[in-house]
Amino acid sequence: MTGAKFVRAKLKNVVLKRVDGFEADFRMANLEGAVMRDSSFKGADFRSANLEGVNFSNTDLMNAKFEGANLNGIVPQNMGQMIELYREVNG
């Protein structure tokens, strides 16, 4: 999935496990309730995406972009990751 484009895609409840999503583009996509665990989405673009309830357990999100994304109820890899996501979205 490296560099894949999912702009405005409707991916509600999709299951993506053990995926290499390097620089994948999920801008404005609906990923509500998705399971995106045990994966790598380094440099992925989730700006303005609906990520409500997404499970990112054991997922590498280094350099991913989340400005304007809905992060309500997400399951982060760890508390440090949650703090980083909050800071990126809220400044």
Side-chain angles (χ1 to χ4, degrees):
M1 284 185 54
T2 297
K5 305 285 186 203
F6 297 100
V7 177
R8 297 183 187 265
K10 296 175 182 170
L11 300 169
K12 187 174 180 178
N13 298 315
V14 70
V15 177
L16 299 172
K17 292 183 182 178
R18 297 180 194 94
V19 170
D20 180 1
F22 179 72
E23 295 187 347
D25 189 349
F26 292 98
R27 285 175 296 145
M28 297 174 279
N30 181 6
L31 291 153
E32 182 180 346
V35 176
M36 300 174 80
R37 58 178 296 142
D38 305 317
S39 298
S40 176
F41 290 98
K42 290 182 182 179
D45 193 343
F46 294 100
R47 288 179 292 176
S48 298
N50 180 9
L51 303 174
E52 186 169 349
V54 172
N55 183 339
F56 283 119
S57 297
N58 199 34
T59 294
D60 188 345
L61 296 167
M62 185 187 310
N63 297 321
K65 299 171 188 79
F66 292 93
E67 294 92 356
N70 176 0
L71 300 175
N72 292 329
I74 68 163
V75 179
Q77 178 176 344
N78 55 47
M79 186 53 77
Q81 182 185 58
M82 185 67 180
I83 292 168
E84 286 178 39
L85 292 175
Y86 178 84
R87 285 182 181 156
E88 183 167 336
V89 170
N90 296 299

